[in-house]
Amino acid sequence: MIRTSTTPEAPATGAWEELVTTALLGTDRRTPPGGTPERTAPVTLLDAAAVQTVRRRAGLRPASAARRPEPAPRDPRPPLPAAAARRLAMLLSDRPGAAGGRRSTAPDLMELLPQWLAAANAHGYAPPAQTLPALLDAARGRTDLRPAALAFGGPRARWLAGLNPDWRFALRATPGAGAAPTDPEDADRVRKLWEEGLFAERVALLASLRTRRPAAARELLAGSWAAERAEDRLMFLDSLRTGLGPDDEAFLEQALSDRSRNVRSTAAELLSALPGSALAARMAARSGSCVAVDHTRATPTLVVEAPHECDAAMERDGIVPKAPAGRGERSWWLGQLVEAAPLGAWPGRLGGRTPREIVALPVADGWQGELHAAWCRAAVRQRDARWARALLGPPAAPDSGGPGAVSLAERAKLLGTLDAVERADWVAGFIAAHGLPEAFQLLGVCAVPWAAPLGRAVVDALNIARDAGSYPWSFSGVMGLAERCLDPAEASRLDGLLAVPDEAEDASPGAGGYWAEAFQRLVTTLRLRSAMAEELDAARAG
């Protein structure tokens, strides 16, 4: 029987370290303690180590018991219907890439989780308590899931996150979690939180206040503006995008003199989004002096005279003087001026022409790309749908877009200024004229589920690609979007695409079978999405 030692920790620790040293040096160089002639040194060392191991474990003094955590808060929302709860457990148990190799016909459940969470949040359901750990693990691994996952997890998910360091992101993502929300009408509590709260809590307070009482949020920020750090001022200033209006102009004009360039640039950007602001007028005058219509040519043509310098007044208004590498200074300054000028001023300066007529004018000396790209950025910033339509041009244009859309990314941003129906119609026309290879970014800005004309255009284009004999992997991105965004009602229309087609002589070997698998997965996923919606609607239907 081995007796445990009640001696203090230090001697036991010293004995253990002596054994470790003997083992490292070797028993032929150092005799282990407690050895006898009838026992070999290695055996003696191992026996001593076994005794010390037991002593170390048995001799630990128990720590004081931690305070029992407060009970989890009550979640007042109605519980998930039973079928929807089982579906959630299935979605959370899926692991990307678990099957390895080709996806075959199995739906990608993790890619459906964001859509499921959005629908569950729209219904206002509370999650089953047993699913919260898996939900938090999923949100930990995918930042894009966090807003919807934490909204669905509710107060119990935040409570649970406070008990596990791996889930602390939930507390950072929801500043002030666990505390009662601050009533914007409670001026004393608002002021106390603003003056004493953590940075994340102050950001959340300002954002919440800005949504309900924009002027109060601005006054709160103005009161402590001079004492804030530059990086904090930038974050606080960005919150003024919500509810931005003419009443914010005076504060933003003061911010144009801030010692931080980033703060000045953000203030200038916000002011340029206010067409009636003094900064917008200054930018209109500057950019207007750079662009004119030359009527002496056979066809009226836009001529451009870019700025020759970036003076102090321009720099104060947010113009960055130093051009990026490989960019000319004058074109860099011109682009910034035109981007910040109110689009509504151009018709008056260019002979009363409409945006479509202005964009159609030829531009002399190779300035068209720079000028139209700046108008694109201005249309996005000012949310001007008329200019966006003019710059996009007809979807079937031979150059795969409008004259001002310098890239697919710019076209996608311009589409964001249009309403959902017009956006979907334009992208459907673009796909019909140009196919799918160029359309991936454009599809990403369309509302889900896709409108019927857009869904038909995508399916028709996929069918054409299949008939052409190419492999479906070239269209995997679009196929993945279709699985998540196509209207589930389209599933029955796809049944004719599930058979393996006869392969043409010039087709890629085996492509028909791969396409059949891809369409089978698409149909299976659409029907699964339909079942998910029905399960979430079960309580309402009952």
Side-chain angles (χ1 to χ4, degrees):
M1 177 177 179
I2 299 174
R3 294 183 299 171
T4 59
S5 173
T6 58
T7 57
E9 179 71 16
T13 302
W16 179 258
E17 291 177 350
E18 184 178 351
L19 290 172
V20 171
T21 301
T22 301
L24 292 173
L25 291 175
T27 54
D28 56 338
R29 299 178 61 187
R30 182 165 181 165
T31 303
T36 60
E38 64 273 10
R39 302 171 70 198
T40 62
V43 172
T44 299
L45 177 64
L46 293 175
D47 287 347
V51 171
Q52 287 297 336
T53 297
V54 175
R55 283 181 175 173
R56 285 160 60 87
R57 291 177 178 172
L60 290 177
R61 295 180 179 178
S64 301
R67 187 171 64 88
R68 179 178 296 178
E70 295 294 326
R74 177 179 172 273
D75 193 331
R77 297 173 295 177
L80 271 176
R86 290 192 294 271
R87 181 72 64 189
L88 173 62
M90 181 188 302
L91 295 175
L92 291 172
S93 66
D94 187 58
R95 290 293 179 268
R102 287 202 340 252
R103 286 180 54 197
S104 187
T105 60
D108 190 339
L109 300 184
M110 277 299 289
E111 289 303 315
L112 295 181
L113 184 57
Q115 195 170 111
W116 188 96
L117 288 170
N121 285 331
H123 284 78
Y125 288 129
Q130 66 271 20
T131 63
L132 289 176
L135 182 67
L136 287 167
D137 278 341
R140 180 191 178 198
R142 284 182 55 176
T143 55
D144 62 307
L145 280 178
R146 290 183 183 178
L150 297 179
F152 180 61
R156 290 192 167 189
R158 294 191 293 271
W159 173 86
L160 196 60
L163 303 177
N164 185 344
D166 289 344
W167 299 330
R168 288 296 173 87
F169 69 86
L171 304 181
R172 294 192 297 269
T174 52
T182 301
D183 183 356
E185 303 299 329
D186 189 343
D188 291 338
R189 189 172 179 186
V190 166
R191 176 64 61 179
K192 182 177 178 64
L193 182 57
W194 179 250
E195 293 175 351
E196 302 177 7
L198 300 173
F199 173 69
E201 292 174 326
R202 299 176 74 209
V203 170
L205 172 65
L206 197 64
S208 173
L209 199 59
R210 186 68 181 175
T211 301
R212 300 171 63 176
R213 295 178 57 198
R218 184 183 62 251
E219 291 166 5
L220 194 68
L221 179 56
S224 64
W225 181 256
E228 304 290 353
R229 299 183 305 166
E231 56 267 32
D232 295 351
R233 293 198 304 276
L234 181 63
M235 185 72 74
F236 292 145
L237 189 65
D238 200 59
S239 69
L240 297 187
R241 296 181 190 277
T242 302
L244 182 66
D247 292 342
D248 298 316
E249 182 179 359
F251 176 77
L252 292 172
E253 275 284 343
Q254 292 180 355
L256 288 177
S257 301
D258 195 90
R259 56 187 179 273
S260 166
R261 174 179 292 179
N262 289 334
V263 172
R264 294 196 302 270
S265 296
T266 300
E269 179 187 346
L270 293 173
L271 282 168
S272 69
L274 296 173
S277 68
L279 179 137
R282 295 194 294 271
M283 292 300 192
R286 290 173 179 135
S287 61
S289 67
C290 296
V291 182
V293 180
D294 183 356
H295 293 283
T296 63
R297 307 185 184 219
T299 301
T301 301
L302 292 177
V303 291
V304 174
E305 181 66 27
H308 289 273
E309 65 173 343
C310 179
D311 57 31
M314 287 170 59
E315 192 170 351
R316 180 183 181 273
D317 283 348
I319 302 301
V320 179
K322 185 173 177 58
R327 185 84 179 272
E329 281 187 334
R330 296 183 65 198
S331 65
W332 171 245
W333 299 331
L334 174 74
Q336 293 180 79
L337 290 177
V338 174
E339 178 182 355
L343 290 166
W346 288 107
R349 291 179 177 272
L350 299 177
R353 292 175 171 84
T354 66
R356 196 176 298 277
E357 291 169 339
I358 292 172
V359 170
L361 289 173
V363 184
D365 301 325
W367 283 102
Q368 176 172 305
E370 187 68 50
L371 183 60
H372 285 191
W375 276 334
C376 283
R377 297 192 297 273
V380 173
R381 180 184 295 189
Q382 298 171 36
R383 311 297 299 173
D384 193 310
R386 287 186 68 207
W387 274 88
R389 293 187 193 101
L391 291 160
L392 280 166
D399 58 347
S400 302
V406 294
S407 67
L408 284 170
E410 288 286 350
R411 286 197 283 274
K413 292 175 182 177
L414 288 169
L415 285 168
T417 67
L418 309 180
D419 64 56
V421 174
E422 186 176 2
R423 199 182 317 162
D425 287 344
W426 196 95
V427 177
F430 180 91
I431 292 171
H434 307 290
L436 288 173
E438 303 258 333
F440 183 76
Q441 290 188 64
L442 307 181
L443 287 168
V445 301
C446 294
V448 179
W450 288 336
L454 177 57
R456 286 194 293 270
V458 171
V459 172
D460 289 345
L462 288 171
N463 195 19
I464 291 171
R466 181 189 70 159
D467 291 342
S470 57
Y471 283 120
W473 305 314
S474 303
F475 303 91
S476 58
V478 174
M479 188 66 79
L481 276 178
E483 291 172 17
R484 299 188 297 274
C485 304
L486 199 61
D487 192 328
E490 296 288 319
S492 58
R493 206 169 65 84
L494 298 173
D495 287 339
L497 302 176
L498 302 182
V500 178
D502 296 331
E503 292 187 2
E505 291 184 2
D506 56 346
S508 302
Y514 296 136
W515 274 107
E517 284 184 359
F519 280 121
Q520 179 63 64
R521 183 173 60 250
L522 175 58
V523 171
T524 303
T525 303
L526 292 178
R527 287 178 175 152
L528 178 57
R529 285 175 51 208
S530 179
M532 285 165 39
E534 292 174 1
E535 292 161 358
L536 289 168
D537 285 336
R540 184 179 300 174

